[in-house]
């Protein structure tokens, strides 16, 4: 039953890097399923393999072995163009450095995605997102004119504009104070709860865990459930 | 003209004139000007200067366009991570290079002609369409080379770098 709603699955996923003559086992054998409506946190020390995990989950790089299923589609044999398509349509990224283009206004950040696929702006869904995130008044501003919290909201707007079912966030609250960090995580949590997305969030901040349904700890490339 | 001793040179338009003293030889006006002391050296100097100026400008133009693009490498990396097609990013870079180079060239040509008019008779100035055409094409070709190099950089960016 539950398996049917799994939006992201990893089966025996391993990622090794060859560095010089040595092999770095960045991600050891990993199995997991993430369901629609789940907010999953991944915590762990620096260099433990969190970003490696996230980039494999997001189709940015392929595993050395194992299978990654995104909405039941096996991506492990895809070429870079097919992976790019998967990322465009199935995955929303919220990045640490806030993934905004410095010389585009908030409106244009979203418009860019529509243009890239040869469509005009979906005004209805854009306005709905802006309203939900409380950033209607920022639409004509540029990233440099926004505060850290506002920038992260816009980054979220950008990530969900294409209506992906999977959202991946890498340290989305890294540069925010506690109050702002909580606000941003609440917005991210709502994407899982209200919109039934599968959300994975990598974070150093253990205070954010209370918003999450499942918490994994990454240590030396081994992913395990936090007790 | 009767006294051949007192005539050392004559400028004439018709080479059929035959009543000049035998001691004088014929030379075209252009050939003669080149025998003026320093003239040949001056032309060579200016020619080399202008040539190098054009060459260096085209080179800088290509480098400038290349740097302009590679500076945005991080942004392109993020866009690629988000799944924005390579084709779209490359095309945007290309069309921006063409727009930039063409606009720059037109402004340059306009200013050249304007300053030529402004100087009037004070400075020797001549519009040479062929020369202008060659320089303009050279600039466009160099911009295109910079553009092609930029597109190669964009295509090679690894989107994994956007997450780290
Ligand atoms: N492209 C690569 N080539 C070689 N080694 C790599 C590569 N990417 C990651 N690694 C190694 O894999 C391990 C895990 O790196 P990863 O970036 O996933 O850690 P992280 O948990 O995200 O760390 P941080 O919290 O600092 O971001 C590290 O030892 C790193 O050096
Ligand atoms: Mg990391």
């Amino acid at each position: 039953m539950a398996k049917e709603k799994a939006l992201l699955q990893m089966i025996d996923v391993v990622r090794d890097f060859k560095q010089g003559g040595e092999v770095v086992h960045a991600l050891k054998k990993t199995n997991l399923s993430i369901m629609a409506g789940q907010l999953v946190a991944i915590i762990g020390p620096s260099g433990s393999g969190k970003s490696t995990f996230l980039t494999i989950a997001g189709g940015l790089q392929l595993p050395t072995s194992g299978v990654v299923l995104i909405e039941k589609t096996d991506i492990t044999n895809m070429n870079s163009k097919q992976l790019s398509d998967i990322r465009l349509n199935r995955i929303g990224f919220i990045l640490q450095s806030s993934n905004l283009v410095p010389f585009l206004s908030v409106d244009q950040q979203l418009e860019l995605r529509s243009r890239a696929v040869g469509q005009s702006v979906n005004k209805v869904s854009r306005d709905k997102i802006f309203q939900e995130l409380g950033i209607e008044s920022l639409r004509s501003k540029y990233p440099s004119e926004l505060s850290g919290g506002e920038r992260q909201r816009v980054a979220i707007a950008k990530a969900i504009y294409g209506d992906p079912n999977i959202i991946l966030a890498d340290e989305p609250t890294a540069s925010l104070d506690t109050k702002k960090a909580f606000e941003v995580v609440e917005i991210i949590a709502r994407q899982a709860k209200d919109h039934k997305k599968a959300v994975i969030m990598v974070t150093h901040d253990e205070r954010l865990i209370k918003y999450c349904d499942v918490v994994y700890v990454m240590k030396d490339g081994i992913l395990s459930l936090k007790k | 003209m009767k006294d051949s001793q007192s005539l050392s040179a004559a400028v004439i338009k018709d080479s059929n004139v035959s009543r000049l003293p035998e001691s004088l030889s014929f030379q075209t006006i252009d050939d003669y000007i080149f025998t003026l002391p320093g003239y040949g050296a001056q032309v060579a100097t200016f020619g080399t200067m202008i040539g190098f100026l054009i060459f260096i400008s085209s080179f800088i133009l290509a480098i400038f366009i290349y740097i302009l693009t590679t500076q945005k490498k991080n942004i392109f990396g993020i866009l690629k991570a988000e799944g924005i097609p390579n084709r779209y990013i490359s095309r945007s870079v290309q069309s921006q290079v063409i727009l930039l180079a063409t606009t720059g060239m037109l402004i340059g040509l306009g200013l050249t002609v304007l300053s030529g008019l402004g100087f009037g008779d004070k400075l020797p100035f001549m519009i040479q369409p062929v020369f202008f055409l060659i320089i303009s094409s050279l600039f466009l070709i160099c911009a295109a080379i910079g553009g092609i190099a930029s597109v190669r950089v964009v295509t090679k960016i690894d989107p994994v770098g956007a997450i780290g």
Side-chain angles (χ1 to χ4, degrees):
Chain A
M1 267 276 289
K3 270 256 185 295
E4 264 145 49
K5 281 193 218 152
L7 292 180
L8 175 75
Q9 277 173 281
M10 286 194 181
I11 302 160
D12 292 341
V13 167
V14 170
R15 184 66 167 109
D16 298 330
F17 290 107
K18 285 199 183 65
Q19 214 169 32
E22 277 177 62
V23 178
V24 181
H25 302 288
L27 187 65
K28 291 169 190 159
K29 203 175 261 192
T30 302
N31 283 283
L32 94 170
S33 295
I34 296 173
M35 313 293 156
Q38 263 188 337
L39 173 54
V40 175
I42 295 181
I43 56 174
S46 191
S48 57
K50 305 184 298 295
S51 295
T52 304
F53 169 83
L54 207 65
T55 49
I56 291 173
L60 283 165
Q61 62 176 328
L62 292 172
T64 309
S65 64
V67 175
V68 180
L69 299 173
I70 289 180
E71 297 184 63
K72 300 267 179 275
T73 308
D74 182 358
I75 65 163
T76 18
N77 293 312
M78 288 188 169
N79 63 29
S80 62
K81 194 186 168 296
Q82 293 169 314
L83 286 173
S84 175
D85 258 12
I86 289 280
R87 296 198 298 271
L88 183 69
N89 297 308
R90 314 282 183 103
I91 293 161
F93 289 98
I94 307 169
L95 305 182
Q96 195 168 2
S97 50
S98 91
N99 41 347
L100 305 178
V101 183
F103 42 84
L104 294 183
S105 71
V106 171
D107 262 347
Q108 289 168 335
Q109 305 279 343
L110 303 203
E111 195 183 331
L112 176 68
R113 187 195 183 278
S114 297
R115 278 176 169 241
V117 293
Q119 293 168 353
S120 53
V121 189
N122 185 341
K123 292 203 175 81
V124 178
S125 96
R126 179 193 63 189
D127 293 350
K128 222 174 96 196
I129 291 169
F130 280 174
Q131 199 188 3
E132 185 191 330
L133 304 193
I135 51 174
E136 298 118 303
S137 58
L138 308 177
R139 352 180 18 143
S140 58
K141 294 207 169 171
Y142 289 83
S144 60
E145 302 171 299
L146 303 176
S147 73
E150 288 170 341
R151 227 175 286 167
Q152 226 36 342
R153 280 164 199 253
V154 176
I156 295 170
K158 201 181 165 192
I160 62 178
Y161 174 60
D163 200 23
N165 282 326
I166 299 168
I167 295 174
L168 306 179
D170 192 19
E171 300 271 3
T173 59
S175 51
L176 306 178
D177 62 45
T178 307
K179 185 167 163 284
K180 290 272 158 55
F182 283 158
E183 284 171 12
V184 164
V185 176
E186 272 167 34
I187 292 173
I188 292 175
R190 246 184 279 139
Q191 300 310 315
K193 297 286 110 37
D194 300 351
H195 300 289
K196 298 286 169 251
K197 316 264 179 197
V199 185
I200 305 179
M201 180 172 74
V202 165
T203 181
H204 272 115
D205 192 345
E206 302 217 4
R207 288 168 306 174
L208 305 179
I209 283 172
K210 62 179 179 203
Y211 293 96
C212 302
D213 304 303
V214 186
V215 180
Y216 285 100
V217 181
M218 182 73 82
K219 195 161 181 288
D220 297 330
I222 298 169
L223 193 69
S224 48
L225 276 171
K226 185 183 164 73
K227 292 167 194 100
Chain B
M1 282 226 196
K2 282 173 210 154
D3 189 359
S4 63
Q5 301 307 109
S6 63
L7 188 72
S8 52
V11 180
I12 51 170
K13 290 281 184 197
D14 183 359
S15 57
N16 285 328
V17 178
S18 56
R19 284 188 297 148
L20 285 170
E22 298 275 300
S23 57
L24 295 184
S25 61
F26 276 110
Q27 211 173 12
T28 66
I29 294 177
D30 283 348
D31 284 347
Y32 174 68
I33 287 176
F34 252 94
T35 64
L36 290 180
Y39 180 79
Q42 207 175 10
V43 168
T45 307
F46 278 121
T48 312
M49 273 169 60
I50 293 169
F52 265 100
L53 209 65
I54 292 167
F55 174 74
I56 293 169
S57 309
S58 340
F59 191 66
I60 289 176
L61 185 68
I63 302 257
F64 176 76
I65 282 171
Y66 180 75
I67 291 176
L68 215 61
T69 317
T70 45
Q71 266 183 339
K72 303 199 195 94
K73 237 174 131 169
N74 287 343
I75 300 167
F76 292 139
I78 290 170
L79 295 184
K80 285 176 85 166
E82 289 169 347
I84 304 289
N86 237 330
R87 196 168 12 93
Y88 177 77
I89 303 176
S90 301
R91 245 187 240 162
S92 313
V93 169
Q94 264 166 340
S95 53
Q96 280 167 28
V97 166
I98 291 170
L99 193 71
L100 201 67
T102 316
T103 316
M105 208 188 64
L106 290 178
I107 292 175
L109 277 178
L111 287 179
T112 309
V113 172
L114 268 184
S115 52
L117 292 178
F119 285 131
D121 298 335
K122 290 185 211 102
L123 208 73
F125 181 84
M126 194 163 63
I127 292 178
Q128 287 179 305
V130 178
F131 200 46
F132 278 22
L133 203 73
I134 292 171
I135 298 177
S136 304
S137 342
L138 185 68
F139 280 177
L140 282 189
I141 289 168
C142 283
I145 291 171
I148 290 166
S150 310
V151 167
R152 281 177 61 99
V153 169
V154 170
T155 346
K156 280 201 186 133
I157 296 171
D158 187 354
V160 178
I163 288 184

